[in-house]
Amino acid sequence: MTDPTTEPTTEPTTAPTTPPTATSTETFSSRSPATGEVLGEHPVHGPAEVQAAVVRARGAARHWAAAGWTGRRAALLAWKRSIARRMDEFAEIVVAETGKPVHDARAEVLLALVHLDWAARNARRVLGRRRVASGMLSVHQRSLLAYRPLGVVGVIGPWNYPVHTPMGSIGYALAAGNAVVFKPSELTPGVGLLLASSFGDAVPEHTDLLQAVTGPGATGAALAGAGGVGGAGVAKAAKVDKVAFTGSPGTARKVAAQCAKTLTPLLAECGGKDAVLVGADADLDAAAEAIVWGAMSNAGQTCAGVERVYVVESAHAALCERIVQKARELAPDEAYGPLTLPGQLGVVERHMKEALAAGARAPLGGPESLRPPYVHPVVLVDVPEDSPAMREETFGPVVVVNAVRDLDEAVERTNASAYSLGAAVFTGSRRAGLAVAERLETGTVSVDSVLGFAAVPALPFGGAGESGYGRIHGAEGLRAFAAPRSITVKRFSPYADLTSFGTPREKAERAVELGRRWHARR
């Protein structure tokens, strides 16, 4: 996924532009990707401002933790209702900063609401204290498992889904009892500022619990490495307790290096090269419809979007015909917007030209499809597996449809990718599709749909390899922003206390021998 922490400054302003005590006089402009017009000016927050925000957040986190499960749930649901009432306001800024159509922006806000609602309502069930079995050796102990908040979470968000994607970290981190300092992409700072200010508007008693800092990659680096190395007092207070990052693998490595300086844990979601596997007996009309939407929606700027299709050879021509027909009907300025990041045009052009030079064909589109700031739909076939269009994230409205011998080969090629975020399977039966899905080495799989998981907040989201590590969403997403705490409470004195020098040696040995015999028979 193209990265929010190293990209040119671009964004609109219809939201407050004064985050945490901005003492820096340096600013950057946000611009519309569709027209190039300046949308606003925002401060560039440096290390001092970032650390000040973290210190304030740490104070707010103590009050937030004291609010308890009931208080936090009520506050988060109040924020959710406020965002729902202000959906058009959010959508307006998303449209201005990203260029996506308004209906896409509204749908994105809805997805964020779904996840915020789930996190608020399920945090206590997932993270609340519960009893666990003590086992024979510790039958005299009552054993409890609970989760405590980490403290302050730094969230570095992307520009392609500037509300939905960061909410997968922000909402879950808040529900787990943490404060959040949010660094939105420099392409979409207005959305980040509105997210932060809307929380303060909805829940004014929890000031500084969610703050936004703006700026280029250096601001994100300051957040990831906030507090410096070691130290105590103010330095410790200014250090975030975890960083949640969404962006490219290259920038993820830079963020990880910053986090390593303070041993700060990192959750990284770094995009994908998602494949759709299509069997010979699949419903080709349904598969084509899903593939075109998954590849072209949001101008292909979706980390879990469709970039590769592997279809059994006997159905290849028929599926390609359907995909081309449906993709040809799309008007870029209506079905999807421009490429939000101008530099991404060069990536799309390189992938397309290198594929064609290597022998691929384009039944739809080609170099003429690049009409800045838009890219018209492109369908490529017979692309060599070692081509950048098959190995690297294209992040544009381009889809490759290659023929394979059978679904076994499709699974093998899908799993050969360095990315392992998501995939989809279309076959004649759901049972067969599920069997194929279980062989894929991806974090998510949809059967007979694409991105089916996106609107299911109980399901975790994430991948491995170049797709990053860690999970957001669902119970795993809540636990990602909490630390397990194990507690034992002594109920009575055991027959032989093995943690006391006062226990007679013979008695202790007898107890150990009884335990050995018991395990030897099981």
Side-chain angles (χ1 to χ4, degrees):
M1 168 174 285
T2 308
D3 221 308
T5 59
T6 57
E7 286 159 2
T9 61
T10 324
E11 56 107 34
T13 295
T14 317
T17 58
T18 326
T21 316
T23 58
S24 171
T25 57
E26 185 181 358
T27 63
F28 66 97
S29 300
S30 65
R31 296 178 181 274
S32 163
T35 66
E37 69 174 308
V38 174
L39 299 166
E41 295 289 327
H42 299 277
V44 174
H45 291 112
E49 290 90 0
V50 171
Q51 290 187 19
V54 174
V55 170
R56 289 194 300 276
R58 194 162 300 285
R62 288 191 284 270
H63 295 291
W64 185 238
W69 298 113
T70 302
R72 291 194 291 271
R73 170 179 163 140
L76 291 174
L77 292 178
W79 185 34
K80 181 204 72 166
R81 291 190 292 270
S82 175
I83 294 175
R85 289 191 292 268
R86 300 171 67 176
M87 177 181 278
D88 289 339
E89 182 182 356
F90 274 89
E92 181 181 355
I93 301 183
V94 171
V95 169
E97 292 189 323
T98 68
K100 67 178 62 178
V102 66
H103 57 82
D104 283 1
R106 286 173 56 85
E108 179 186 341
V109 176
L110 176 60
L111 279 178
L113 294 174
V114 167
H115 281 279
L116 179 58
D117 181 82
W118 192 93
R121 296 183 188 278
N122 288 275
R124 183 171 191 168
R125 176 184 62 81
V126 173
L127 303 177
R129 191 176 72 192
R130 65 181 184 272
R131 189 167 178 172
V132 299
S134 297
M136 184 187 72
L137 190 62
S138 300
V139 68
H140 60 293
Q141 301 278 12
R142 183 167 79 250
S143 300
L144 305 170
L145 173 62
Y147 291 82
R148 63 173 180 80
L150 298 175
V152 179
V153 174
V155 176
I156 301 175
W159 47 261
N160 58 334
Y161 291 94
V163 179
H164 166 59
T165 299
M167 186 62 81
S169 296
I170 293 171
Y172 287 75
L174 291 172
N178 304 282
V180 173
V181 177
F182 174 39
K183 191 275 183 193
S185 167
E186 56 268 41
L187 300 183
T188 56
V191 177
L193 290 165
L194 181 57
L195 271 173
S197 66
S198 68
F199 184 88
D201 294 341
V203 194
E205 63 271 27
H206 291 291
T207 305
D208 295 331
L209 191 67
L210 173 58
Q211 301 171 69
V213 293
T214 56
T219 304
L223 181 60
V229 180
V234 174
K236 182 177 180 181
K239 174 184 176 297
V240 295
D241 299 287
K242 187 165 190 173
V243 173
F245 166 83
T246 303
S248 73
T251 303
R253 291 180 174 89
K254 296 176 184 178
V255 174
Q258 285 296 115
C259 289
K261 295 178 181 179
T262 51
L263 294 181
T264 300
L266 171 66
L267 187 160
E269 195 272 279
C270 305
K273 191 70 181 175
D274 288 13
V276 175
L277 295 75
V278 183
D281 57 349
D283 181 336
L284 298 185
D285 288 316
E289 180 69 33
I291 288 165
V292 170
W293 184 86
M296 308 298 170
S297 62
N298 202 33
Q301 301 169 122
T302 302
C303 56
V306 176
E307 297 208 2
R308 300 179 290 159
V309 177
Y310 294 117
V311 53
V312 172
E313 193 168 17
S314 60
H316 182 259
L319 180 64
C320 285
E321 181 181 352
R322 288 165 170 79
I323 291 173
V324 168
Q325 180 182 357
K326 293 178 183 298
R328 183 178 281 124
E329 297 171 354
L330 300 179
D333 58 343
E334 297 176 4
Y336 57 80
L339 293 190
T340 304
L341 179 66
Q344 197 64 24
L345 283 162
V347 176
V348 174
E349 182 177 28
R350 176 174 62 86
H351 285 194
M352 191 179 353
K353 286 185 174 180
E354 289 195 25
L356 294 171
R361 296 182 296 107
L364 179 65
E368 70 278 6
S369 299
L370 278 71
R371 307 174 198 175
Y374 295 94
V375 176
H376 287 244
V378 177
V379 179
L380 299 174
V381 299
D382 302 331
V383 179
E385 287 295 314
D386 61 353
S387 171
M390 299 301 288
R391 294 184 293 104
E392 303 171 8
E393 193 172 31
T394 303
F395 229 56
V398 179
V399 63
V400 174
V401 186
N402 278 355
V404 291
R405 179 184 64 257
D406 50 30
L407 286 174
D408 289 338
E409 184 180 358
V411 169
E412 181 180 347
R413 291 194 181 187
T414 300
N415 289 342
S417 175
Y419 291 94
S420 65
L421 189 57
V425 180
F426 287 83
T427 62
S429 78
R430 291 187 176 91
R431 177 177 294 181
L434 183 58
V436 172
E438 290 178 337
R439 296 167 57 195
L440 295 174
E441 298 168 358
T442 56
T444 63
V445 185
S446 298
V447 176
D448 288 345
S449 71
V450 295
L451 283 84
F453 57 84
V456 184
L459 288 175
F461 177 69
E466 293 295 292
S467 291
Y469 49 84
R471 294 293 184 269
I472 57 174
H473 303 166
E476 285 81 359
L478 285 169
R479 295 188 188 105
F481 299 107
R485 174 188 284 139
S486 302
I487 302 172
T488 57
V489 180
K490 187 175 178 179
R491 300 166 56 223
F492 56 83
S493 296
Y495 164 75
D497 190 348
L498 300 181
T499 64
S500 171
F501 287 116
T503 302
R505 178 62 58 84
E506 297 79 9
K507 198 173 189 179
E509 289 178 350
R510 192 179 307 124
V512 171
E513 177 60 19
L514 287 171
R516 185 195 69 79
R517 293 181 182 181
W518 188 80
H519 281 287
R521 292 194 301 266
R522 285 175 65 85

